[in-house]
Amino acid sequence: MASSNTVDKSAYGNNKLAQWGIANDQMTKLRKWLCFWVLFAFGATCVYQWQMMAPVIAPIAEVFGIDPANMGFLMSVYTIAGLILAYPCTWLMQHFGIKFSLLVTAVLAVLGNLICLFAVDSTVFLVGRAIQGCGFGLIAVLGPNIMPRLFPLEEQGLVMGIWSQWVTPGIAMGALSTPILFQAFGWQSIFYLSTVLTVITTILLIIFVQLPLVPENLLREDNLEKEDKPASAKKIYVRDAVIVGFGFVAWATVYGCYNSFFPTYLQQTLGMDLMSSSMTTLVTALVTIPSGIFIGWLADKIRQRKLILIIGYICTGILFAFFIWQDAGSVALAWTCAVLLGFICAGIVPTMTRAIIPVLAQRPKQTDWALTGMAFVTQLGSLIATFFATVMVATSWGTAGMVYGIIGGLVGLASIVFVKNDHNIDV
């Protein structure tokens, strides 16, 4: 392994701002995991900003006189911001450094909260939500791109398995705290809590987030360039990494359909009440946590990320196309599908996609762009998912599920089945 004494901090960029937050050594494992958990907490707070409004969109829209037909903008503005900022965020990170980029993210998140808190009309409120969405869009790119720099490639399965759960705490907090706060103190209390949480996690971010003197994936590149390595180990499959990243649009689309429309399906088709139907998507998110972590750990041990990801896409296509959206289903089947989707599919696909990309594209900047593509299509998939309702109205729940499930499964498989097997890459 290349000595950290032979490579200076210019590995992160020559701009002075890019040197902020770079340690003078490779950091101990304890310091790396402390950095990880601070980033995780900050990311979860940004997700909470996004999801905290979901249960009370209608009352807040009424407060600001927003037409019911336009209520979706209160949530979709996040997706639009994520699409626009995905690639500019990577450019910002590579030119001005990761910690400076994180600070920009935090400032946007706090500023968006404050604008919403003191908004006097719907236009100002939507501007605040858009700025919040910019913060979310930035951390969605920065978080995964930090991990290959912070941890060795052979640990990316476990690391990405945990990081892939960063959305779950925010969803859970939004689902559980928003109704209580809204009923007790009004809509502004939600934004006060969000502001406090963001400020606290920003302070922790400034204090504790550091990166090793030499990015771990740059150390791996140094190893690959040694003459004693076999030819196969010197190949870095950037094209394959980009393909896998863009193929994630398949999962982002079908999971976006599920989160957006499954509660409505349960209410209209099975007659479930609002609370019970909402809990299904929360259960899906919660069971993903142990599954994703275990799958990530297993992938590191057996080095078969590609095979596991293929299994994940096959299961997703079958489950989504033939079981979740039944025109005459049952409550038992609905809960079974909710658990299976979380434990098998959501536990595998996001985790393995994030874990295999750094193995295929090992040079830091190339890894950045491949992971950024994944972040971009995550937002794109959310937009494509909105048309699920159109297909359903024209046909039925079952037909819409079959169309999206089959197409999504095939796109996912096409993006992974022909790429290089990570088992054959020296990691």
Side-chain angles (χ1 to χ4, degrees), residues 121-303:
D121 56 41
S122 60
T123 301
V124 176
F125 189 83
L126 283 171
V127 168
R129 285 293 287 174
I131 294 175
Q132 282 183 325
C134 291
F136 174 82
L138 290 176
I139 191 60
V141 174
L142 288 169
N145 285 359
I146 289 172
M147 300 310 155
R149 289 171 162 83
L150 191 59
F151 294 94
L153 292 183
E154 54 266 28
E155 299 176 14
Q156 289 300 300
L158 176 61
V159 171
M160 292 299 195
I162 300 174
W163 177 260
S164 294
Q165 315 312 317
W166 72 293
V167 174
T168 304
I171 293 175
M173 189 182 301
L176 298 174
S177 68
T178 293
I180 297 173
L181 289 172
F182 180 79
Q183 291 175 358
F185 305 108
W187 71 269
Q188 287 179 312
S189 63
I190 303 167
F191 287 85
Y192 276 118
L193 175 59
S194 176
T195 301
V196 171
L197 291 174
T198 307
V199 170
I200 291 173
T201 53
T202 298
I203 293 171
L204 294 174
L205 184 151
I206 293 172
I207 295 173
F208 293 109
V209 169
Q210 281 188 309
L211 290 168
L213 177 62
V214 184
E216 287 290 342
N217 48 355
L218 185 59
L219 288 177
R220 176 61 60 185
E221 180 186 348
D222 290 344
N223 272 347
L224 290 173
E225 291 175 351
K226 289 183 177 179
E227 292 299 325
D228 59 343
K229 290 288 182 179
S232 60
K234 296 180 183 178
K235 294 180 181 178
I236 301 176
Y237 304 107
V238 181
R239 181 204 62 185
D240 288 3
V242 172
I243 292 172
V244 172
F246 273 88
F248 191 71
V249 70
W251 168 258
T253 299
V254 298
Y255 196 56
C257 294
Y258 175 80
N259 276 329
S260 299
F261 299 108
F262 194 60
T264 303
Y265 158 77
L266 296 177
Q267 293 164 33
Q268 294 184 354
T269 304
L270 302 181
M272 291 178 67
D273 61 82
L274 177 62
M275 180 60 73
S276 298
S277 62
S278 298
M279 286 299 103
T280 54
T281 53
L282 179 58
V283 166
T284 300
L286 292 176
V287 299
T288 302
I289 298 175
S291 172
I293 295 172
F294 172 75
I295 292 295
W297 172 85
L298 179 65
D300 286 340
K301 298 298 181 183
I302 66 174
R303 292 171 53 204

